[in-house]
Amino acid sequence: MKCPYCSNEMKKGFLQSRDGLGWSQKKRIIAAFSELFADQPLGKTVVAYLCGDCQKIVIDYNNDEK
């Protein structure tokens, strides 16, 4: 995948969390089971692309790949 910021090639990997990842529109205190309090629970593993040049991570939260 090409980085949308600098156009360099990104490395494919995964973001993982024991209790699940979650996205929220506002900053919240992190709870023990953070995915339960998220506006958009993302699961425990999501595909992520890392750009080492511009220090960005792009995630695909609709991907079932484990």
Side-chain angles (χ1 to χ4, degrees):
M1 174 180 200
K2 296 285 185 188
C3 179
Y5 297 94
C6 69
S7 299
N8 289 328
E9 195 62 32
M10 301 180 83
K11 293 180 183 177
K12 182 179 178 181
F14 303 92
L15 284 178
Q16 296 176 289
S17 172
R18 183 188 68 145
D19 296 323
L21 301 170
W23 178 89
S24 179
Q25 204 166 15
K26 58 184 174 181
K27 192 174 184 178
R28 299 177 187 202
I29 295 173
I30 302 298
F33 295 100
S34 58
E35 72 177 348
L36 299 177
F37 303 100
D39 296 339
Q40 174 66 51
L42 303 177
K44 295 179 180 168
T45 301
V46 293
V47 174
Y49 296 88
L50 172 78
C51 179
D53 294 320
C54 65
Q55 306 295 300
K56 304 285 187 193
I57 295 176
V58 177
I59 67 167
D60 182 358
Y61 68 88
N62 194 26
N63 191 323
D64 291 334
E65 184 176 344
K66 303 286 185 224

